[in-house]
Amino acid sequence: MFPANDLEAAFARVTDYWSPKVIGKVNDQLLKAAKLKGELVWHAHDGEDELFYIVKGELRMEFEDSVTVLRQGAFLTVPKGVRHNPVADEECWVLLIEPASTLHTGAEVTDRTRSLEEQLS
């Protein structure tokens, strides 16, 4: 028997904004629960695509030439190499799906940057 996981319980483990927690794995892709509020940082992931699925709230994804607004139930794949900046005016719950090799804020390092080890704890 394979145990089921509870998404609500997974988000309960997330206590800090912009600090994703790994909640599952499919092959080399990690599933991460994150609570967002405010602005992260402009960054890109040179070698990995990144999927954002909005579980609760609203997220504004800024790109260099456009903005996409995502509401509950929507998802967006940010292609590798594309600079982006996630912004949430109010608390937003996001399920991220990305390769284990993905650095949280790409080559940019800020006080919000989290290592994979921090995301696994």
Side-chain angles (χ1 to χ4, degrees), residues 5-119:
N5 290 302
D6 183 313
L7 200 54
E8 191 86 21
F11 276 95
R13 288 184 41 223
V14 180
T15 56
D16 297 318
Y17 295 127
W18 304 107
S19 189
K21 296 295 179 191
V22 175
I23 62 170
K25 182 177 179 180
V26 178
N27 298 316
D28 70 337
Q29 302 290 313
L30 298 180
L31 285 71
K32 300 177 181 181
K35 291 180 181 174
L36 315 180
K37 187 173 182 183
E39 183 173 346
L40 185 55
V41 65
W42 280 97
H43 67 284
H45 306 283
D46 293 335
E48 302 93 1
D49 295 337
E50 183 177 38
L51 186 135
F52 290 76
Y53 172 75
I54 309 306
V55 175
K56 178 180 171 182
E58 182 176 295
L59 180 69
R60 185 172 69 250
M61 188 64 72
E62 298 177 342
F63 298 100
E64 291 180 320
D65 61 353
S66 65
V67 173
T68 299
V69 176
L70 303 165
R71 293 178 179 82
Q72 184 172 327
F75 69 92
L76 172 73
T77 300
V78 177
K80 61 184 167 190
V82 173
R83 286 182 51 79
H84 59 286
N85 183 32
V87 180
D89 294 328
E90 301 296 328
E91 183 174 274
C92 178
W93 293 10
V94 176
L95 178 66
L96 297 164
I97 303 174
E98 57 193 18
S101 60
T102 304
L103 298 176
H104 183 219
T105 54
E108 306 299 323
V109 178
T110 74
D111 61 341
R112 291 190 169 165
T113 302
R114 299 292 176 257
S115 68
L116 180 56
E117 292 74 25
E118 291 172 297
Q119 295 176 57

